[in-house]
Amino acid sequence: MYTAEKLPLLKTTFESLMAKKIFHCVSIYISMDKKGMQQNLHLAQAKLKNCLKEVSSVLLQYQLHQSDVEDYLEPISQLLDRVDLWRNPSKGLAIFLDPETGLQYFKIPISFETQTYVANHFYLKPLFPIYINDGTYYLLEISRDYVKLYKASRYHFEDLFVEDFAPKRLEEAVGFDYRPKMLQFRSGQNVGGAGVFHGHGEGKDDDKKELVKFFRALDKGLKKAIENQNAPLLLACTDYLYSIYKETSTYKNVYDGHLGGDPEFKVKTSLHQDSWNLIEPHFTKIESEMILKFKELYHTQKTSYEIGDILSAALNGTVDTLFIENDTDIFGTFDITSNKVRIDESKEISNTSLTNLAALETLKKGGKVFFLPTEDMPVENSNLNAIFRY
C-alpha cells in the first residue's frame, strides 16, 4: 500500500522554532548520504563532527566552561551513533538545540550547504523553501468507482480521506440501479475513457447526467475537506471525466490541465512528482508577477532595496513581498530605534543574520518571501528587495 509523504517539518514546529528566543541556540545543517558507498565511508557523520567542533569553539567564546559545552552538545554527539538515522537518510539533516527544549532534528528533502549558527535564536533560512513558494495545491483522483484527495506542495503529500465527506464511487451518489436507460453498453473504452454506447444517444446522455450528479455530491464534500479554498485543485482522471467535472464543479480554482488516464492504474509513488511537475508553472507565474509588480512600483515609496528600510518594515509588519538573493547571507546588527544597520563580513557572537531576520519577520506577519538567484533579483546587485503594503 502507498503511504502519502507527510510534511518533513510541521508548520507548528517551524513556528515554535521561529519564536524561540534564548541564549545558546544551536542550528546545524548538513547534507546526508543516500548512496551506500558514501554511507559506508561515514561522510555525513564526519561533517557533523566538524560542525560540533565549530559550535563548541563558538560556545566557549560565550565564557562557558569546556565541560559545560561538552555536556550541552552531548545529545548532538549521540546522533553520530544512530545507525538508523544514517542508513535511512533524506537529502539533508537540520539539527536544533537549546537549553529549554533540548535537541530537535529533522530529515529534510533539501540538500543543505554544511553550516552552523549559534545565537539567541535559530537560523531557519535554509528551511524556508518548505513553506514559501512551495505551492500548496490539492490533487483529486477520480474515476466512476474511485476517489482520492491529497493536500500537496513541493515537499508535502498527504491523504485527506475525502471519502469521510463525499461519495467514493458513482453508485453512492446515484444509487446502484443507475443507467436505467442505457442501450447496449459495452465495457470497452474509447480514447477519452467513456463507455461505448449504441442507440440514439440516450446512453451517453444518461451517463453524463449520472456523472454530473456524482460530481455535484463530490464537490460538496470537497468544500468540507479542503481548508485553503484559494489553492488550485488539480485533477487526475480521464479527459472525458475532466471536462465534465470542470463544467460541474463550483470550486473556484480547478486547474486548467490534468493528469490523464485512470488514476486507479497509476503508480502511486510517482503521483506526487508528476502532479508537482504539472502545476509548478502556476506558482512560478506568481513569483514572476510579483517581480513585475516591483518593477512597476520601482520609483515609488512602495518599494525599497535599502536593508535598513526593509528590516524596519519587516519588524513593523509592513512588508508585503520580500525578495532575497539566495546565494549569500548578510551578517550584522540593526538598531530599530535609529534605523541604522551595521554590516559585518561574517557571523560573530555579537551579530545576527539580517537576511534570516528579514525573512522570519516578513513570514510571521503574513508577507510573502521569495528566494531568487542573483540574476533574477528585481534590483541588480542587491541582496534584499521589498514591496511594502503601504
Side-chain angles (χ1 to χ4, degrees):
M1 177 181 288
Y2 174 68
T3 302
E5 178 187 352
K6 298 293 185 180
L7 194 64
L9 184 63
L10 293 174
K11 187 71 176 290
T12 51
T13 304
F14 184 73
E15 289 170 348
S16 71
L17 292 170
M18 281 199 297
K20 182 65 69 175
K21 297 290 182 185
I22 188 172
F23 284 119
H24 311 146
C25 288
V26 174
S27 307
I28 298 175
Y29 294 89
I30 63 171
S31 59
M32 301 188 81
D33 300 321
K34 295 185 77 70
K35 294 182 179 178
M37 183 180 71
Q38 294 171 328
Q39 290 181 8
N40 291 335
L41 293 172
H42 304 296
L43 300 180
Q45 291 95 315
K47 293 175 195 171
L48 182 54
K49 285 180 181 177
N50 289 332
C51 288
L52 279 167
K53 290 177 184 177
E54 289 180 15
V55 171
S56 178
S57 177
V58 174
L59 288 171
L60 288 172
Q61 294 178 49
Y62 284 94
Q63 306 304 312
L64 296 176
H65 292 294
Q66 180 73 42
S67 59
D68 293 333
V69 170
E70 290 175 0
D71 289 344
Y72 181 49
L73 297 180
E74 179 60 22
I76 301 179
S77 298
Q78 290 178 2
L79 292 179
L80 294 167
D81 298 322
R82 287 280 306 275
V83 176
D84 60 319
L85 175 64
W86 307 107
R87 287 297 181 187
N88 299 285
S90 187
K91 289 184 177 180
L93 181 65
I95 300 171
F96 305 101
L97 179 70
D98 73 82
E100 289 181 342
T101 307
L103 175 67
Q104 299 178 77
Y105 64 94
F106 307 93
K107 292 188 287 187
I108 306 292
I110 300 172
S111 185
F112 298 124
E113 292 290 331
T114 301
Q115 54 189 314
T116 64
Y117 188 94
V118 181
N120 66 346
H121 57 275
F122 289 123
Y123 182 70
L124 301 175
K125 179 174 170 265
L127 296 177
F128 268 63
I130 299 174
Y131 304 102
I132 56 172
N133 202 28
D134 63 338
T136 296
Y137 65 99
Y138 293 87
L139 175 66
L140 177 65
E141 294 184 292
I142 47 172
S143 67
R144 287 175 172 80
D145 55 2
Y146 178 84
V147 173
K148 276 286 184 184
L149 178 68
Y150 301 95
K151 182 179 181 180
S153 67
R154 186 194 301 266
Y155 300 112
H156 176 211
F157 200 63
E158 176 187 0
D159 191 337
L160 291 187
F161 303 103
V162 72
E163 57 267 29
D164 293 342
F165 305 96
K168 59 185 177 183
R169 59 174 63 90
L170 189 148
E171 293 96 327
E172 290 182 10
V174 302
F176 285 85
D177 58 346
Y178 69 105
R179 294 178 185 156
K181 297 181 181 178
M182 288 186 186
L183 301 179
Q184 299 180 36
F185 174 76
R186 291 209 312 266
S187 60
Q189 299 287 315
N190 66 14
V191 175
V196 181
F197 303 89
H198 294 278
H200 297 84
E202 260 188 347
K204 188 172 183 180
D205 289 343
D206 286 343
D207 182 50
K208 182 175 180 179
K209 288 177 183 176
E210 303 288 5
L211 285 169
V212 167
K213 186 173 182 180
F214 175 33
F215 290 160
R216 281 177 179 161
L218 179 56
D219 190 60
K220 188 180 295 184
L222 286 182
K223 300 285 182 63
K224 299 175 183 177
I226 292 179
E227 296 174 2
N228 179 7
Q229 299 201 5
N230 292 316
L233 175 65
L234 176 64
L235 300 185
C237 59
T238 63
D239 298 347
Y240 177 67
L241 296 185
Y242 171 73
S243 62
I244 296 174
Y245 190 89
K246 198 168 190 324
E247 179 185 324
T248 303
S249 176
T250 59
Y251 191 84
K252 61 183 177 182
N253 199 5
V254 177
Y255 190 63
D256 288 326
H258 66 291
L259 294 175
D262 192 325
E264 282 189 87
F265 303 103
K266 284 187 174 293
V267 178
K268 297 304 178 187
T269 51
S270 65
L271 183 63
H272 183 197
Q273 189 61 51
D274 290 345
S275 65
W276 174 253
N277 290 343
L278 180 60
I279 206 164
E280 183 180 15
H282 170 80
F283 299 103
T284 306
K285 180 183 176 185
I286 294 173
E287 182 180 285
S288 300
E289 288 172 349
M290 297 313 297
I291 293 172
L292 179 61
K293 182 178 179 180
F294 181 99
K295 292 178 177 178
E296 289 173 348
L297 297 170
Y298 181 52
H299 295 293
T300 72
Q301 293 183 341
K302 290 201 68 174
T303 65
S304 179
Y305 58 89
E306 297 290 343
I307 295 174
D309 293 340
I310 293 172
L311 286 170
S312 178
L315 288 161
N316 286 300
T318 58
V319 172
D320 175 82
T321 305
L322 178 67
F323 303 97
I324 297 175
E325 195 274 311
N326 61 9
D327 293 328
T328 59
D329 213 333
I330 306 168
F331 296 104
T333 58
F334 176 66
D335 186 340
I336 192 170
T337 57
S338 62
N339 216 35
K340 286 186 178 178
V341 179
R342 189 194 79 215
I343 305 297
D344 300 323
E345 291 185 3
S346 61
K347 178 71 178 77
E348 301 170 359
I349 63 170
S350 60
N351 68 14
T352 189
S353 165
L354 299 177
T355 310
N356 186 67
L357 175 63
L360 290 178
E361 292 301 324
T362 298
L363 192 65
K364 280 180 189 176
K365 296 174 173 66
K368 297 178 287 293
V369 183
F370 297 100
F371 286 85
L372 303 174
T374 304
E375 62 272 17
D376 291 342
M377 288 293 287
V379 178
E380 220 174 309
N381 301 317
S382 62
N383 300 105
L384 296 175
N385 301 162
I387 300 173
F388 301 137
R389 289 193 169 107
Y390 44 84

